[in-house]
Amino acid sequence: MVSRHRVVDHIITQLAASGIEYIFGVDGANIEDLYDAAFLTDDITAILAKHEFSAATMADGYSRAVSRIGVVAATSGGGSLNLVAGLGESLASGVPVLALVGQAPTSLDGRGSFQDTSGRSGSLDAVALFSAVSVYCRRVTEPQDIVPALAEALVAASGGGPAVLLLPKDIQQAMIDVANPIAAVQDSLLADPGPIAEVLRRALGPVTIIAGEQVARDDARRELEELRSVLRAWVATVPDAKDVSGSPGLGQSSWLGVTGVMGHPRVVDAISRSAVCLVVGTRLSVTARAGLDKALAGVQTVSLGAQRPYVPTTHVNSTNLRASLTALTRSLTGSGRPHGLRVLDPLPHTELQPPSHDGPGIRYRDAVTLLDDLLPDGADIVVDAGNTGASTVHGLPVRRAGRFVVALGMGGMGYSFGAAIGMCFARAKTAGPHYRTVVVAGDGSFFMHGMEVHTAVQYRLPITFVLFNNNAHAMCVTREQLFYGDRYSYNRFAPARLGAGLAAMFPGLHATDVTELPQLAGALTEALSRHGPSVISIECSADEIPTFAPFLDSATQQTQKESTQHVAARA
């Protein structure tokens, strides 16, 4: 049956048919027809953000929560340009996102229209710009082209990363006849895991698994655990896949901890003692592998995933880890069972040891410990960049059945505020009455995109924002101290009472400041018990060094140098 409707109606209908329930964005003249189409359907809800970057991170967080495509919409000009940083994070982290970007009418291309991004007559070229931060980008210039373009974009995004459709206003409004919409099907790349199985069958000793973000994207946690059980392996996770091991808490029998710059020392010990290291679903960027290069060089390493890791490895490509892990597990059971494997000897849980600090405010570790004591099972945790993020990634365990998300693709500050909102909407229909998302962010991140707290207030979302307020870009302060002699600081702020300020801005919002540790447990308990959003601002010190290996190494070297100079001076 042939149906006739607007291009935007086709987009909304197809998104709903794909299981997409929300569009996150900021409305404007050249995208308003899409919002009109969303209003006319009960299947999709348009969510209004305060900034396009945050709208993109909402789509990103939504996708990470439920392993589906997140959708963001923005108007032309500056609105569209604000998407770039958010889409860059989704690209670097392989998160499925679809961006629908409005443009000026095609009749005005290259003729000086307001916010012209056609690339003609010296105007900004949106295709060139967005192609750099996407796995697929197409400018739709003929109405009927939306049918294949949308299908292709959805397939491209589902493979991991953002897809972008540039939609001139006249194209959005145009009428099209659609008989049988194209339903493009993604071809999963399922190479034979035989080379990995053969290495594991020959292994004489323990196996250690390093699991990454693709395990979460492909929703392959159960399959990973089944393989781990067959191999009797220990599992380490990269920082932005902390929840994929299935082991909440610290020191669990199968979970070694986090790898890389915020990682746990026993991961290195485990790999060094292993016969084989199996890398699953991660490229092992510098952030994830710092400190591991020597250990990995001394062990046979094999990998399975959509992209080859940055370290030398026998690699098998897979865009569907659920299927590939199942096939690998099956090949290692029965007659194919490895006989030389053994369980790694128990290793005590170890943590990085920052130097003691007795300055004003609450210590990072003390605050993280209280959070661990009080956060409920099922809570999703979203962590922002900086010293706050390093301390939380290192010290705060995952909640059972909850996600733990940190954006390390681009490390854009303020990511957590939008991402948490997207996660809340993703959980809306399945979460119980006590569900809560918890944001852990610094004041620097808050000053960039923290006004999305207003969005949480507007939609009465169950989010608790935990703000570590050290009145600085503290990671930059630490760098000034360690690498530039502490001769100056560009990165300290005038003091601000974030809790009191937000309480005054948003009547009814529970927001408070905590300056002393004895107050913190009660304040956290109260904030976490609220039905809607809540904010707790924890005063801490910009001079405290976090659990971040590059800083600790530098601080140790500096201390040793000072000690040597002191001894020489005495001599």
Side-chain angles (χ1 to χ4, degrees):
M1 178 179 177
V2 176
S3 60
R4 184 169 179 80
H5 49 216
R6 294 174 301 172
V7 165
V8 288
D9 296 319
H10 172 75
I11 293 172
I12 293 297
T13 299
Q14 290 302 107
L15 294 183
S18 300
I20 292 165
E21 300 171 301
Y22 297 98
I23 294 175
F24 304 96
V26 180
D27 200 357
N30 284 328
I31 200 65
E32 61 193 1
D33 296 288
L34 183 74
Y35 279 83
D36 180 66
F39 175 78
L40 297 174
T41 181
D42 294 328
D43 298 323
I44 287 185
T45 302
I47 304 300
L48 180 68
K50 301 304 176 291
H51 190 279
E52 289 84 2
F53 168 83
S54 293
T57 65
M58 289 176 195
D60 182 292
Y62 174 92
S63 178
R64 296 192 201 218
V66 291
S67 299
R68 292 201 296 268
I69 295 174
V71 180
V72 59
T75 190
S76 52
S80 66
L81 299 183
N82 285 340
L83 292 175
V84 171
L87 295 181
E89 172 59 45
S90 298
L91 177 68
S93 297
V95 179
V97 168
L98 173 66
L100 304 171
V101 183
Q103 292 199 294
T106 56
S107 60
L108 295 176
D109 286 353
R111 301 179 61 191
S113 69
F114 180 58
Q115 299 180 334
D116 184 3
T117 52
S118 67
R120 297 185 180 182
S121 301
S123 64
L124 189 149
D125 188 343
V127 172
L129 175 68
F130 284 102
S131 292
V133 290
S134 67
V135 295
Y136 176 94
C137 180
R138 181 170 175 178
R139 187 170 188 261
V140 181
T141 56
E142 296 293 336
Q144 201 66 33
D145 288 348
I146 190 58
V147 179
L150 180 59
E152 293 164 5
L154 290 171
V155 168
S158 64
V164 179
L165 290 178
L166 303 169
L167 305 170
K169 185 173 179 66
D170 56 324
I171 301 299
Q172 295 179 53
Q173 296 173 329
M175 303 297 293
I176 57 172
D177 295 318
V178 180
N180 294 303
I182 296 174
V185 179
Q186 181 184 7
D187 293 328
S188 294
L189 179 59
L190 298 175
D192 178 14
I196 296 176
E198 191 59 34
V199 170
L200 294 170
R201 288 192 195 101
R202 295 197 308 265
L204 299 175
V207 173
T208 296
I209 297 172
I210 300 177
E213 61 283 351
Q214 191 188 344
V215 177
R217 187 176 78 223
D218 292 357
D219 195 17
R221 294 172 179 83
R222 185 183 67 181
E223 290 75 14
L224 177 68
E225 170 55 25
E226 289 171 350
L227 177 63
R228 186 212 64 77
S229 179
V230 167
L231 297 174
R232 296 184 294 167
W234 286 42
V235 179
T237 57
V238 301
D240 46 353
K242 190 173 176 179
D243 54 54
V244 303
S245 73
S247 297
L250 298 173
Q252 296 296 314
S253 60
S254 64
W255 188 59
L256 291 165
V258 174
T259 68
V261 294
M262 294 165 274
H264 296 94
R266 70 173 181 166
V267 175
V268 179
D269 293 339
I271 293 172
S272 299
R273 300 182 191 186
S274 296
V276 176
C277 179
L278 171 59
V279 178
V280 181
T282 178
R283 300 192 72 186
L284 285 181
S285 65
V286 168
T287 305
R289 77 172 190 274
L292 293 180
D293 285 321
K294 183 177 179 180
L296 288 170
V299 64
Q300 187 168 13
T301 305
V302 292
S303 60
L304 178 69
Q307 294 179 295
R308 180 182 293 274
Y310 293 109
V311 297
T313 177
T314 298
H315 181 69
V316 173
N317 276 10
S318 172
T319 59
N320 185 337
L321 285 181
R322 294 182 71 178
S324 295
L325 289 171
T326 297
L328 181 57
T329 301
R330 188 180 298 119
S331 71
L332 295 172
T333 55
S335 60
R337 180 174 176 268
H339 295 286
L341 297 180
R342 68 175 178 83
V343 179
L344 186 71
D345 294 335
L347 294 169
H349 175 73
T350 52
E351 295 194 4
L352 298 172
Q353 296 299 319
S356 60
H357 178 69
D358 60 0
I362 297 170
R363 301 286 77 81
Y364 297 133
R365 193 65 179 91
D366 291 339
V368 168
T369 298
L370 277 175
L371 271 174
D372 183 25
D373 291 341
L374 296 172
L375 289 186
D377 282 350
D380 290 320
I381 301 168
V382 189
V383 180
D384 224 303
N387 284 4
T388 297
S391 300
T392 307
V393 169
H394 187 78
L396 182 62
V398 176
R399 301 299 97 178
R400 189 176 302 278
R403 284 238 57 194
F404 190 110
V405 170
V406 55
L408 294 179
M410 288 287 113
M413 294 177 64
Y415 165 90
S416 61
F417 296 92
I421 290 169
M423 296 186 84
C424 273
F425 281 109
R427 305 289 198 201
K429 294 183 179 179
T430 59
H434 302 296
Y435 168 77
R436 184 142 295 262
T437 295
V438 177
V439 167
V440 184
D443 53 326
S445 293
F446 169 80
F447 286 131
M448 289 191 180
H449 291 289
M451 282 301 99
E452 294 301 334
V453 169
H454 184 274
T455 305
V457 170
Q458 179 175 343
Y459 291 100
R460 298 295 300 164
L461 299 177
I463 304 179
T464 295
F465 299 92
V466 180
L467 308 179
F468 282 59
N469 185 12
N470 45 38
N471 300 302
H473 286 311
M475 184 163 275
C476 297
V477 169
T478 305
R479 294 185 64 85
E480 289 171 335
Q481 293 172 335
L482 293 178
F483 306 130
Y484 296 93
D486 198 19
R487 293 177 291 116
Y488 53 80
S489 181
Y490 291 103
N491 292 291
R492 296 182 189 270
F493 306 154
R497 295 181 60 199
L498 303 182
L502 289 167
M505 288 182 68
F506 306 123
L509 172 66
H510 177 79
T512 187
D513 299 290
V514 175
T515 58
E516 302 291 339
L517 184 59
Q519 306 170 317
L520 185 55
L524 282 171
T525 300
E526 174 66 17
L528 293 168
S529 68
R530 295 281 168 159
H531 292 297
S534 58
V535 178
I536 179 166
S537 176
I538 302 171
E539 293 294 316
C540 48
S541 172
D543 297 304
E544 180 182 1
I545 296 179
T547 45
F548 189 70
F551 290 169
L552 301 183
D553 292 342
S554 178
T556 299
Q557 292 170 8
Q558 183 170 306
T559 300
Q560 292 173 342
K561 179 180 178 181
E562 291 172 352
S563 176
T564 301
Q565 291 172 341
H566 179 66
V567 170
R570 290 180 60 189

